Amino acid sequence: MVSIIRLDDAETRKWAWSLIDEGRRKIAIELLGADRALVELPAALTVFVAELASLYQTSFASWSLRTVEPSGLVVIAVGQTKSGRRVSQVDWRHTVSPVAVLRNPIWLDELLADSKYVSLRQELVSGERIVRLRSWDSAGFVSALLAACDETDRVSAKAVVQAAVQESDSSHVSNILAQERDATISAMKISGVVDSLANLQNVPVDSGDPTPFLGRVESAGSGGRERGVPLIRQHEDSIIGLDARNVLDWVGRETEHAAAMVFSNRDGRQLTVINANRLGIEQAVGADLVYYSPSYRAYVLVQYKMMSAGQGSRIDPSNWRFRPDKQFRDQLVRMRNVESSQRQGDDCESAHDSYRLGQSLTYFKFCRHDTGLDAKTQLMKGSYVSTEFVDVLLASTQGPRGGQVVDGGILRDRGLDNAAFISLVRTSLIGSSGATSDELQRVVAASLAGDRSVVFAMPHQDSTS
């Protein structure tokens, strides 16, 4: 994600003095509270622009100014903007580090020549302080920027970009781990097998390690024993039920990035959890929870989505939104297919254990983008909504520019919180009916094929389901 910040004349003089005359490698910038949401993201790469005329009043004039238009905005620096601190009722001070100043500033219009940047150019021309590129446009913009730099500037700017990418990779892994961890703990709370919750703390975050969450729990040695009862055990065929073993055997043939554990309560209840991803955690685009109750032959599929803050207060739920992209629309199709397949194969039994409140069995859990991986064992705050409700929501709501958007305020008002969702799944009042081992395998296979990390959980037949 790339943001562009427009510096005024006073800031341009300050930056020239600090970065050129004094040779500093970091600098501070003050932003309004309403603006900070546009840059306060993990590893926010920021491009700083200024009016060309203001450069001649600074030390830039002694450098070899690039041949650009007589007037207009030029790129003078690239940096990584860190989280800020409040310095007044309206202002926040952010540190920009590392930062690379361009010895030969680049005319911004060169980088925004593509027609897809029309609205962004209009915002800058109209005097907007900060604009943020869409995630799918950021990579192309950065490539164009580096290509336009001379050899000296390219080296320093590329170092800043690489630092941001490395931190972004670490942040991405943290988010996937947080989703996998949340899915694992949700399954434990649904099943009531919670004696070992405290053992899921302090799982190492290493962006270069492809191991999923459960594999890191094993490597951290967080299993424990009390009175001879293993709270966490690596999987053993003798203690895993047939349905779970079928899924585990299939997953083992499909990917090497997998781990499985049996969690146990002191009262004898047990829960098998399988955690896998196809290409390694750093390549996973998100996490899915598949929870299966053998007593009711019911499963639910939950897909995690992270919302981002827009301009305005980060406290206001309506300011947190999820903007669908092609990848999300493809995933919606998959979720609908799961729903359709289950309804066609429904056994239509009239027994009480086949009763459900509705036909929905696929859900999304929308969480704030800054939730991260908490050291505590509490679940991430978020809202669960069915795929059917997401379809309705997208058809009836629009963002400020007319695009489809999932509004966090609506999710808070209409979605299920953690406690409500766990209660409904625990009693199988929501979920499929008459699920088979083959169907469970197909659902897990579809998740892995979509480059998602999967947490499959199933209590043992004689446990509370």
Side-chain angles (χ1 to χ4, degrees), residues 199-213:
N199 293 324
L200 301 186
Q201 301 183 68
N202 304 319
V203 176
V205 178
D206 178 2
S207 59
D209 182 0
T211 308
F213 174 75

Side-chain angles (χ1 to χ4, degrees), residues 194-233:
V194 295
D195 284 2
S196 47
L197 279 177
N199 293 324
L200 301 186
Q201 301 183 68
N202 304 319
V203 176
V205 178
D206 178 2
S207 59
D209 182 0
T211 308
F213 174 75
L214 278 188
R216 296 172 189 237
V217 172
E218 287 182 4
S219 63
S222 53
R225 291 177 180 269
E226 181 174 331
R227 297 179 183 176
V229 178
L231 299 182
I232 302 178
R233 288 190 285 186

Side-chain angles (χ1 to χ4, degrees), residues 12 50 59 92 110 237 305 310 402 437:
T12 303
S59 300
W92 288 71
E110 288 183 17
D237 287 345
K305 293 297 177 185
S437 293

Side-chain angles (χ1 to χ4, degrees), residues 173-190:
V173 169
S174 293
N175 272 327
I176 301 299
L177 284 174
Q179 294 172 32
E180 292 179 329
R181 177 177 173 276
D182 191 84
T184 302
I185 295 175
S186 295
M188 296 170 74
K189 292 192 172 186
I190 292 168

Side-chain angles (χ1 to χ4, degrees), residues 246-299:
N246 288 340
V247 172
L248 178 59
D249 290 344
W250 179 85
V251 167
R253 293 192 297 269
E254 292 296 312
T255 178
E256 61 182 14
H257 306 300
M261 282 188 173
V262 175
F263 295 86
S264 299
N265 267 7
R266 294 170 184 83
D267 61 8
R269 287 184 293 175
Q270 294 181 323
L271 173 74
T272 296
V273 181
I274 302 167
N275 186 190
N277 46 68
R278 188 169 65 92
L279 301 175
I281 194 169
E282 73 280 359
Q283 299 295 323
V285 298
D288 290 353
L289 166 63
V290 180
Y291 184 90
Y292 175 63
S293 169
S295 297
Y296 294 96
R297 296 176 63 198
Y299 73 87

